Amino acid sequence: RLHPSSSGSLAGRHVLITSGPTHEPIDPVRYIANRSSGKQGHAIAAAAIAAGARVTLVSGPVALGAPAGATTVQVQTAEEMLNAVRAALPADVAIFCAAVADWRAASPADEKIKKTGDGEKPQLELVENPDILKTIAHMKTGRPNLIVGFAAETENVIAFATRKRRNKGADWTVANDVSTHTGVMGGDRNRVHLITETGVDSWPEMSKREVAETLIARISALLHDKAR
Ligand code: CTP
Ligand code: CA
């Protein structure tokens, strides 16, 4: 049997993927996080490995096992995720699937914040986290050839995601509706729209594994077209 990296449509390519949420500490026992199971990002890592790529998966805290064959780097915060992404470069393709917390506590408490007993509420000052996708997409040298972002929206999905693709400097954006009624968050199925410079491709609802395989097939086709 051939070694996986010696065959397959992504053989010889390095694919970098972020997955899961980030956890931003408030104090030693509390954190700020987005809802994210990591299922879609981990499925993309598995599909890229199956296609013969070398895969680095930078993952926030998830309940999933690391996909076999990937180099998995586990992180907690957005800053750690950015550092791990930078350390993993260069990459041919970078896919930013993580649900990164947009804000972190300005100064996390060293000790557990206690209730005062008189109903007084703690004041939580927030600062914005670095935008990992935007940072990497705007690299002057060493930018991955293809940058894919995700856009989880609850309304105006295609319009918001189209604007996000442009504003962040991504080549492609995978947009999905994560409204609670869709069951996408935490679930096994997804319905996405692939937004590229040439337009919008709406895929039928399928499993997250099939979304991953379809995305990896599209990426392979693009890289093979470019090489021709
Ligand atoms: N992303 C990132 N770093 C951040 C925030 C987002 O890399 N600090 C990436 C996500 O992984 C995703 C894309 O950017 O690929 C879009 O994330 P999203 O949260 O939908 O976009 P935001 O620009 O944060 O806008 P919003 O105000 O809608 O949250
Ligand atoms: Ca966000």
Side-chain angles (χ1 to χ4, degrees):
R1 187 164 160 267
L2 288 168
H3 187 268
S5 64
S6 64
S7 66
S9 55
L10 289 180
R13 310 283 191 173
H14 181 207
V15 178
L16 171 61
I17 299 157
T18 69
S19 185
T22 64
H23 285 184
E24 312 295 334
I26 295 170
D27 69 17
V29 302
R30 304 183 178 94
Y31 58 80
I32 300 169
N34 282 13
R35 253 184 235 287
S36 171
S37 65
K39 282 178 182 175
Q40 188 62 78
H42 279 52
I44 292 168
I49 290 161
R54 178 165 76 83
V55 173
T56 304
L57 176 64
V58 179
S59 177
V62 294
L64 305 171
T71 299
T72 300
V73 183
Q74 285 175 328
V75 299
Q76 297 282 326
T77 67
E79 286 184 306
E80 289 169 9
M81 187 172 273
L82 175 59
N83 289 337
V85 164
R86 279 203 169 110
L89 293 174
D92 300 287
V93 179
I95 306 171
F96 296 95
C97 206
V100 182
D102 292 315
W103 302 278
R104 67 177 182 275
S107 38
D110 292 331
E111 308 296 341
K112 183 181 174 187
I113 300 168
K114 303 297 287 180
K115 284 182 289 186
T116 56
D118 57 12
E120 202 188 310
K121 294 179 283 292
Q123 296 297 312
L124 189 60
E125 198 193 321
L126 301 177
V127 291
E128 202 167 309
N129 267 328
D131 191 314
I132 302 166
L133 161 57
K134 200 170 184 176
T135 303
I136 301 304
H138 286 88
M139 284 174 61
K140 294 275 183 295
T141 53
R143 180 192 188 274
N145 285 325
L146 179 68
I147 292 188
V148 183
F150 271 70
E153 305 291 351
T154 59
E155 58 177 351
N156 304 329
V157 177
I158 291 173
F160 283 162
T162 301
R163 194 164 65 194
K164 236 169 229 180
R165 189 190 82 82
R166 216 176 326 108
N167 290 348
K168 285 174 172 270
D171 300 300
W172 294 358
T173 296
V174 179
N176 59 358
D177 185 341
V178 294
S179 309
T180 317
H181 69 86
T182 64
V184 166
M185 275 191 300
D188 290 317
R189 300 190 67 77
N190 207 353
R191 187 166 168 270
V192 309
H193 312 272
L194 179 66
I195 299 167
T196 69
E197 63 277 27
T198 55
V200 182
D201 202 352
S202 295
W203 299 350
E205 189 198 292
M206 48 186 132
S207 69
K208 287 184 178 177
R209 181 185 162 158
E210 289 165 326
V211 168
E213 289 167 351
T214 307
L215 180 64
I216 290 299
R218 281 288 294 255
I219 291 170
S220 301
L222 176 83
L223 296 182
H224 284 268
D225 281 353
K226 276 191 174 165
R228 216 179 284 137

